Amino acid sequence: MSKKLNPQLQHNIREDACCETHLEPAQLFCDNDQVTLCGKCLQSQEHKNHMVYGIQEAAENYRKLFQEILNTLRMKLDVAKSILTDEQERMRVIQEEEQNFKTMIESEYSMQFRLLSEENELNFLRLHRCQCDSNMRGLSLNHLNRFATELEEKSQEMLQRLHFLGRENMNKLKESEVKISEQLCSLQRIISELKNKCAESALTLLRNARYYLERSESLLLQCLEPAHITDLSSCQVRGMNPMLPVLQRHITLDPETAHPCLVLSEDLRKVRIRNIQQGKPCHPGRLDFSATVMGLESFTSGRHYWEVDVEKATKWQLGISEDSADRRGNMPEASKVLLTGSLMGTSYTFWVFPPLKKVCLRKQMLKVGVFLDYEYGQISFYNVTERSLVYNFSSLTFQGVLRPIFSLCIPNGDMDSDSLTISLPHVPS
């Protein structure tokens, strides 16, 4: 940071520009000492090796310098305004994201307990039919209670961590908002002062010139950067319900609903894309996921789970759809619940719909699990490899027939070998 100007130098230029020592007109300006000089002063040893200009030339030099600094300050002001807007938006997003994670955590653990409770109840009925003694039934009930306690503890632990991170992130963003606001006010103030300074007469402009220069440099040296917050993806639910493999269905693809540029395997478990769209105009940057095929199986009740290998696809969509489509797979967006994965450059982005929302994941997923609970209105997407929840939708209202849906992105002029493969159900060992 520049050394602050000695306040005494701020008042060394008088309005009448007359040398007090020699009582002659001061027509020169010493840039080193920030004072006006007469011809005799220039001959003294005191200013022998100093930078000395005519008053008009010195004023013009500072005026040009102030104009250049003004342009830089205005750019920094725009950056400050942009960062401030972003920080305020991030505060809104972080609150929404925290609430979404809270809902997902509660929904997922509720589903896990519900599935295990029902499985335990079935086991209890089997034991009862077998006329097993009360000790066996007691052990079964104890097992359920123990598991319920573990789930509750995990749920509370995750919610507490989420709350802590959410509060920590919010505090960082608020501190950043205050800091950026203060910098913004300082920038606006110095910009206004420099604009006025540039309009002043030569002698008036030179008064305190270095003071304004150093203030401007000090503000330009201040770092403008957004707050560094913690990604809430660390609050993702780890582990998958052991009942999901039991609910896994044998899903196949329906050739009658396949888009023309899709090729299905003979066993109807794999779909790949072929480029037959050469005559179609290209739209760079636009992802066209209309290459869709639906599952042959349909659901009107119950719980269902299936897994899809997405390792060989760079842009894909999975989910469920109401069976209100025509026979070529065209359907309104509102009838679908989707997870989208897309490789852009070297990084992956994931989105869910509806509404369209980015998911906090950056690594490639190799296999995706899809769980549907028709009665409870729940759809969950899992990273099967990592055994973690990606996203879930709860409290949905289903009406009529639901079918699995699979989509690949239509190539934009280049050949593409993207493919999806539906996994076979797990065979109990």
Side-chain angles (χ1 to χ4, degrees), residues 94 97-106 108-109 154-169 230-239 359-361 388-392:
I94 204 73
E97 199 174 54
E98 183 181 350
Q99 183 58 46
N100 285 341
F101 267 96
K102 182 174 184 292
T103 301
M104 282 199 297
I105 291 168
E106 291 173 341
E108 180 66 13
Y109 281 113
K154 285 182 181 179
S155 174
Q156 289 305 313
E157 182 182 337
M158 291 293 292
L159 290 172
Q160 286 172 10
R161 174 168 174 74
L162 176 66
H163 178 69
F164 171 78
L165 290 179
R167 185 175 55 186
E168 184 180 59
N169 285 341
T230 306
D231 196 332
L232 294 183
S233 60
S234 60
C235 295
Q236 280 180 308
V237 177
R238 304 290 174 183
V359 179
C360 295
L361 287 176
S388 62
L389 177 70
V390 175
Y391 197 90
N392 69 18

Side-chain angles (χ1 to χ4, degrees), residues 56-255:
Q56 292 299 329
E57 183 185 5
E60 193 58 31
N61 288 342
Y62 272 103
R63 190 174 276 112
K64 287 180 180 178
L65 184 56
F66 287 159
Q67 287 292 355
E68 292 173 4
I69 291 173
L70 266 173
N71 292 334
T72 308
L73 286 169
R74 288 188 181 108
M75 286 191 287
K76 186 155 188 174
L77 179 64
D78 290 338
V79 172
K81 287 179 178 178
S82 176
I83 292 177
L84 182 61
T85 301
D86 289 345
E87 296 297 77
Q88 291 167 343
E89 174 63 14
R90 288 169 81 196
M91 281 191 274
R92 184 194 65 78
V93 169
I94 204 73
Q95 286 179 316
E96 183 181 307
E97 199 174 54
E98 183 181 350
Q99 183 58 46
N100 285 341
F101 267 96
K102 182 174 184 292
T103 301
M104 282 199 297
I105 291 168
E106 291 173 341
S107 174
E108 180 66 13
Y109 281 113
S110 176
M111 180 272 288
Q112 289 193 24
F113 180 71
R114 191 166 63 244
L115 289 181
L116 196 87
S117 296
E118 293 179 10
E119 173 66 12
N120 193 78
E121 188 175 335
L122 290 174
N123 290 337
F124 186 82
L125 290 173
R126 291 191 197 102
L127 291 172
H128 184 71
R129 290 193 198 100
C130 294
Q131 295 182 337
C132 295
D133 60 35
S134 58
N135 288 337
M136 291 283 290
R137 292 195 291 270
L139 287 173
S140 178
L141 185 59
N142 288 338
H143 174 72
L144 175 64
N145 290 335
R146 186 167 62 253
F147 188 79
T149 301
E150 289 175 2
L151 281 179
E152 180 65 22
E153 288 174 352
K154 285 182 181 179
S155 174
Q156 289 305 313
E157 182 182 337
M158 291 293 292
L159 290 172
Q160 286 172 10
R161 174 168 174 74
L162 176 66
H163 178 69
F164 171 78
L165 290 179
R167 185 175 55 186
E168 184 180 59
N169 285 341
M170 187 59 67
N171 288 338
K172 288 179 180 178
L173 288 169
K174 285 180 178 178
E175 288 173 6
S176 176
E177 181 188 31
V178 171
K179 181 181 176 183
I180 300 296
S181 296
E182 290 173 350
Q183 289 177 300
L184 197 148
C185 289
S186 297
L187 286 166
Q188 289 173 326
R189 187 161 50 248
I190 192 64
I191 286 172
S192 176
E193 292 175 7
L194 280 183
K195 282 175 62 180
N196 294 334
K197 196 73 177 163
C198 288
E200 292 174 346
S201 64
L203 282 172
T204 309
L205 183 145
L206 290 173
R207 189 182 301 117
N208 305 337
R210 188 177 291 174
Y211 167 72
Y212 283 98
L213 185 63
E214 291 177 352
R215 275 183 61 201
S216 302
E217 289 176 343
S218 175
L219 281 172
L220 288 174
L221 286 171
Q222 287 182 12
C223 185
L224 279 174
E225 61 178 8
H228 298 287
I229 60 176
T230 306
D231 196 332
L232 294 183
S233 60
S234 60
C235 295
Q236 280 180 308
V237 177
R238 304 290 174 183
M240 294 172 61
N241 194 294
M243 287 298 298
L244 291 178
V246 178
L247 300 169
Q248 190 168 358
R249 308 303 178 210
H250 184 85
I251 304 294
T252 52
L253 303 168
D254 182 1

